[in-house]
Structures are given as C-alpha cells and as structure tokens.
Amino acid sequence: MALHCGVLAPCSCDTFVALPPATAKKEVIFGKNSDRPHDEVQEIVYFREASHKENEKLECTYITIEQVSHTYAVILSRPAWLWGAEMGANEHGVCIGNEAVWGKVEISQEEALLGMDLVRLGLERAETAEKAVDVITELLEKYGQGGNCMEDEASFDYHNSFLIADRKEAWILETAGKYWSAEKIKEGARNISNQLCITTKIDREHPELRTYAKSQGWWTEGREFNFASIYSYQNTARISAAGGRYREGHNLLQKHKGSITVETMMEILRDKPSGINAQGSFMTTASMASILPLDESLPCVHFFTGTPDPERSVFKPFIFVPNILPLLKTVSPTYGPDDPVKKKPRFQTKPDRQHKLYKMQQKNQDLPKEKNLKLLEKMRKLEKDNITEIDEILKTGLQDPLAVVHLFPACVEAEMKEYE
C-alpha cells in the first residue's frame, strides 16, 4: 500500500501461496509482506481459544459486533493500533492475508469493519479456508467494510482482497463494497496484490454480483462475466502500477515452481529488485511465511518477523501447542480507553507503540557497513538454525509439545541478544 495508493505512488502489499506440485514437498507454503507506513509498528500477538457468553459483544477497531460462542487460538501480525490483523494463522492451520484493492464501487466513508478486522474474525471463527470465506462474506454483508486504515488524521481507505489457505486448498476472495467473488485453488502457485485478479473462474459469488454490474451498465447478460475486468478501474495509473507488482510476484513464483519451500518464500518476500520487499515512506513493516503439511499428523509452522524489512529481519517459528504463554517481547504497549484511536475525533496524537524487539532492531539499523554485514550474517545463521530445527520436527513429527511451547519467544530472545 502507499498513501493515495496508485495515484501518487505504486501499491505494494503482496500475498502468496504454493500448493503441490508447485512445492518441493507435500505441503502448502503461504507467505505475505505487509507494506504499511514506514514508522508504523507491527506486533506479533497470540490469543488462546475461548468460549463466550450468550449475547456477548465484541469490540473491533471501530464498531462493536456480535460475538460467537467459541473462538479458535490465533497468532497475528498486526499494526499495533488496531484490533484486526494484516496476516495470521489459527490452530487449525488456516492462514489469511489481505490486500487493499480499489475499483468502480464507491468506498463507504462510514466506519465499519476493516479488512484487517475481517482477517482476524476469519481466523478466530473458521476451521477451514472455505469456512473462512463464509465467515468473512457473512460479516461483510451484515456489517459492511469501511474506515480509516492508517493511524493518521489523513484518510486512507480501501476495499479488500484476501488469500486464504489451509492444508488442502486455498481461496482468493475479492470484494467490492458488499459484493464479492471467490476462486478455489487446488494446485499450483498464486499471488494477489493491490488489484482484482479473479477473472472468469468464479467458484462462489455474491448472489447479486452480476445483477448489480448489469444495473450499472458494466455488463450485459449473455456476455462472458470477467469479475476483474468488470469491477476494476479501466486504463488508470492505479491499475498499471498494481498490475506491475502482481506480475513481478507471479514471475517469482513461476521461477521456483516445483521446488518452492518456506526458504524460497522467504527469499521472495525479501526480493527488493521486484519491489516485493518495499522501501520508502510505505515499506514492508512485517512478514510471514507458513508451512502447512498435507499430513495432518504433522504440525503447521508459522514464521513471523515482527520487524520492518525482511532483508534485515529474522523469520521466527511458531507452532500451536497447549499452554502457550503471552508473547511479551513482540507485543506493544497498550493505552486502554485513553488510546487516541478510541477517542473521537480519532488520531489526534500518536503514542509510542514500539515493542522491545522493534526497538532493538531500530537501534541497529544505521550500523557501519562492516558491522551491518556481520550482524546480517549472524541473523541468517539464527534463521537457518531455526529452519533446520523445524525440518527435523516435520520429518519425525512433534514428539513432545512442551519442547516448542517457548519456541517463538526463545527465537526472539536469541535475535535480541545479537542486537546487544
């Protein structure tokens, strides 16, 4: 994303998925870069599964909605000022990432659910990728989408697309206001960026998707229905910029098709020449890569950076097991009812949201070249050791869940020691 995305600067968020036979092993690989304002802090937070009382309410970023009776455990990478998340996973091996998209349907100026709220809600309420499609589209119909997506008085709003994956399949879900289309992916590699990309292969759709397009004069009955073509802007700088990014991501996936591993995905997310690893006023502020084995006896593994620029960050693994404690070093300070996001008018001030890992990385970002290279070398070794440990677990299975209860925090601690 970029301020006035596609008008003054190229857009940049990207989400990827690879399924057999595009992957090197019998596993699904998911990845996402979250490109946000360069000074925005993204935290890694864990929430346990929970049961909720009847008629309980849930406060999201801007609005309050009805809670469900049970929510699943989730690990989220989210801008620290809001309730939802840019990306994350749940205990059932469902992963979701969202992208900003724009098109012919006008964006509502009313505060509703953010796309990032829908990411978290989908993860908390769905045990499969297709069920997440149900959750998100039902909430979209009931509550709508809208609201400022940036911690600033300046308005930055958009509609959303989602890439949703589990151990068996993936879904692309794209929205235009309350209207939506969804495409099921059973094999190969796909990516989404800041443009609509579902064309004529539509596996599920809003019941009024075609009649609305017809009522607006965008489509005539009897003609082929191409969702992206019909609902997108036509011949604008916005579409041209987003299309370039989408093609770059597609090309990187195709380059490695048949041999994609989680390390491959990390390298794609680090790729600067393509712009996937974005730099500048809007940059890659956090990254995620996941392994979803087809064998359900093996655990899913989710790697998060929790810091800006994956090139100088460490992907740290997380596995869902019982008795996980709160993540302390990657969680930002909270301000309760005094948070400027909660007060109206919103965003009058911007508090310090830096968590401990973020602070340590930022202190070391301007090292002399030689020291920087040595630090990066140490970081890569840490990451390689983490991946080696995960490879062993995925070969033999998780024999002792207690052994990985502190896996993510321990990796964070090891990274922070290298910054000292």
Side-chain angles (χ1 to χ4, degrees):
M1 297 172 242
L3 189 57
H4 305 299
C5 195
V7 177
L8 298 180
C11 305
S12 50
C13 271
D14 299 276
T15 310
F16 304 86
V17 70
L19 302 88
T23 53
K25 303 173 185 177
K26 292 182 179 180
E27 57 192 18
V28 175
I29 302 294
F30 176 91
K32 174 172 166 61
N33 272 353
S34 173
D35 298 348
R36 304 279 304 169
H38 73 282
D39 59 347
E40 183 181 78
V41 178
Q42 196 148 150
E43 60 179 353
I44 310 300
V45 292
Y46 167 78
F47 296 99
R48 295 182 176 182
E49 65 173 331
S51 296
H52 306 280
K53 298 176 182 178
E54 188 176 356
N55 299 321
E56 188 172 330
K57 300 298 181 181
L58 174 65
E59 186 178 351
C60 300
T61 302
Y62 295 130
I63 67 169
T64 298
I65 68 172
E66 294 177 0
Q67 181 60 284
V68 292
S69 61
H70 186 80
T71 51
Y72 300 123
V74 296
I75 178 85
L76 306 172
S77 183
R78 67 176 186 180
W81 61 273
L82 50 70
W83 180 86
E86 277 276 290
M87 51 199 171
N90 72 17
E91 61 181 295
H92 294 288
V94 178
C95 297
I96 308 179
N98 80 306
E99 308 294 342
V101 291
W102 295 264
K104 294 175 183 174
V105 176
E106 185 176 352
I107 297 171
S108 172
Q109 299 303 305
E110 297 295 321
E111 290 185 343
L113 290 174
L114 295 180
M116 292 171 280
D117 293 336
L118 291 167
V119 168
R120 178 172 174 179
L121 289 163
L123 291 171
E124 288 189 340
R125 301 180 179 194
E127 65 276 9
T128 67
E130 185 169 12
K131 176 62 177 175
V133 173
D134 294 335
V135 169
I136 292 172
T137 55
E138 288 168 10
L139 289 166
L140 187 66
E141 181 74 22
K142 187 170 184 178
Y143 297 104
Q145 59 179 319
N148 192 357
C149 301
M150 185 169 63
E151 189 184 12
D152 196 283
E153 286 186 276
S155 180
F156 178 47
D157 45 24
Y158 46 77
H159 292 150
N160 292 267
S161 67
F162 305 87
L163 186 51
I164 309 168
D166 61 25
R167 294 177 186 264
K168 296 180 179 179
E169 62 191 28
W171 286 81
I172 296 174
L173 170 62
E174 300 187 329
T175 71
K178 72 173 185 177
Y179 304 103
W180 57 271
S181 69
E183 179 183 352
K184 185 176 182 178
I185 304 162
K186 292 294 292 183
E187 62 179 25
R190 290 290 295 273
N191 62 300
I192 61 172
S193 191
N194 297 108
Q195 64 170 47
L196 301 177
C197 66
I198 295 176
T199 56
T200 58
K201 184 182 181 299
I202 301 174
D203 294 297
R204 295 181 57 184
E205 64 185 69
H206 188 283
E208 299 171 6
L209 181 72
R210 301 181 190 227
T211 54
Y212 181 75
K214 184 178 178 181
S215 73
Q216 300 300 304
W218 303 338
W219 175 69
T220 304
E221 191 110 32
R223 292 180 58 193
E224 181 179 61
F225 191 88
N226 182 314
F227 175 70
S229 176
I230 291 166
Y231 274 82
S232 294
Y233 289 120
Q234 300 297 317
N235 302 320
T236 66
R238 185 192 299 272
I239 290 300
S240 177
R245 291 197 49 77
Y246 174 77
R247 286 189 294 273
E248 290 286 353
H250 172 80
N251 290 341
L252 286 168
L253 284 176
Q254 294 306 307
K255 177 182 176 182
H256 299 286
K257 195 172 181 179
S259 60
I260 295 173
T261 65
V262 74
E263 288 177 280
T264 310
M265 187 61 72
M266 291 172 185
E267 290 309 307
I268 289 174
L269 297 176
R270 285 178 167 134
D271 195 274
K272 288 183 178 177
S274 66
I276 299 298
N277 182 2
Q279 307 295 299
S281 60
F282 270 57
M283 67 176 295
T284 299
T285 56
S287 304
M288 169 186 176
S290 293
I291 306 170
L292 314 177
L294 273 58
D295 184 347
E296 294 190 11
S297 70
L298 299 175
C300 295
V301 185
H302 312 285
F303 295 82
F304 295 91
T305 62
T307 50
D309 187 357
E311 177 63 27
R312 57 186 184 90
S313 297
V314 177
F315 282 89
K316 298 164 285 292
F318 175 94
I319 297 175
F320 284 94
V321 291
N323 303 314
I324 291 175
L325 297 174
L327 308 179
L328 301 178
K329 302 296 176 67
T330 60
V331 175
S332 298
T334 57
Y335 297 90
D338 293 327
D339 196 307
V341 176
K342 298 296 183 184
K343 294 181 176 181
K344 292 186 178 181
R346 303 190 197 275
F347 310 119
Q348 297 304 294
T349 59
K350 189 180 290 187
D352 182 1
R353 301 191 188 276
Q354 297 180 75
H355 53 72
K356 292 181 179 179
L357 177 63
Y358 183 95
K359 286 182 179 179
M360 294 290 282
Q361 192 216 39
Q362 293 300 293
K363 285 180 181 178
N364 286 270
Q365 66 176 336
D366 296 319
L367 293 174
K369 184 176 181 180
E370 186 176 336
K371 286 188 176 181
N372 185 56
L373 289 173
K374 286 183 179 179
L375 178 61
L376 287 175
E377 186 178 333
K378 291 179 180 179
M379 295 299 182
R380 288 295 183 274
K381 185 179 184 307
L382 277 176
E383 185 174 280
K384 183 65 178 176
D385 291 344
N386 294 340
I387 293 171
T388 299
E389 182 179 353
I390 294 304
D391 283 344
E392 286 302 311
I393 291 173
L394 294 179
K395 284 177 184 177
T396 62
L398 186 57
Q399 306 301 321
D400 180 12
L402 284 175
V404 298
V405 166
H406 304 294
L407 178 62
F408 184 82
C411 292
V412 171
E413 290 285 358
E415 180 181 354
M416 291 179 67
K417 283 182 180 179
E418 296 298 344
Y419 289 131
E420 292 176 352

